[in-house]
Amino acid sequence: MALTEERALHAYAQMLNTLNSDYLEPLLADDFTYESQNVFQPLTSKGEFLDYIKAKLETIRNANATVFAEMGSIHLHGKEQPCVVLAQNDKTNLVGLVLAKTDGVKLKRLDLCIVPTPEMAARSGAYPS
């Protein structure tokens, strides 16, 4: 089965909703890139990203914070694209959206965006766990 952007984003949402990186880890390409509009430097390898995300998930767990990762879609570049809509502490406190790129086999890239805004996305009400 081909790895679609939607399937990769579903695994990303599962990871955030359960605070368990095991859902996403096997999908990552070795040359995976993670970029956030809130951070200056992209992460440019699977290992670098896993070090970052495992520490982040641990911080969320230790802070007893709640992250909501909801499946959605957004119209960009002339087409409808799947995305994950992110919220913190309350499902209405939207903080960003995540887009994915795959090569059909592995997840090559995730982009955490504040522009376009999460409010621009069509929300599904589905929070994979």
Side-chain angles (χ1 to χ4, degrees):
M1 176 185 349
L3 180 62
T4 63
E5 280 81 15
E6 185 170 357
R7 192 168 146 237
L9 287 166
H10 188 275
Y12 176 79
Q14 278 183 298
M15 176 190 71
L16 288 179
N17 289 329
T18 63
L19 303 179
N20 182 348
S21 64
D22 291 347
Y23 292 104
L24 190 65
E25 189 168 344
L27 305 181
L28 299 175
D30 290 336
D31 61 347
F32 173 77
T33 300
Y34 175 79
E35 210 158 344
S36 170
Q37 292 175 342
N38 294 323
V39 179
F40 296 115
Q41 196 84 346
L43 303 175
T44 57
S45 75
K46 176 180 179 176
E48 196 175 16
F49 174 74
L50 288 172
D51 289 346
Y52 161 80
I53 201 66
K54 287 178 180 183
K56 186 170 189 81
L57 295 174
E58 186 66 26
T59 298
I60 293 167
R61 202 173 4 264
N62 291 340
N64 288 320
T66 306
V67 175
F68 297 97
E70 177 183 8
M71 298 302 296
S73 63
I74 189 160
H75 193 80
L76 289 176
H77 311 295
K79 66 178 184 172
E80 201 68 21
Q81 296 183 43
C83 67
V84 171
V85 179
L86 301 175
Q88 283 183 315
N89 298 321
D90 185 284
K91 290 179 180 178
T92 62
N93 183 32
L94 303 183
V95 295
L97 63 86
V98 179
L99 302 168
K101 293 280 184 236
T102 73
D103 63 6
V105 178
K106 291 289 186 177
L107 178 58
K108 299 291 283 183
R109 179 179 187 95
L110 286 172
D111 289 281
L112 173 57
C113 306
I114 52 174
V115 176
T117 66
E119 289 81 6
M120 295 171 68
R123 298 172 64 185
S124 70
Y127 298 86
S129 58

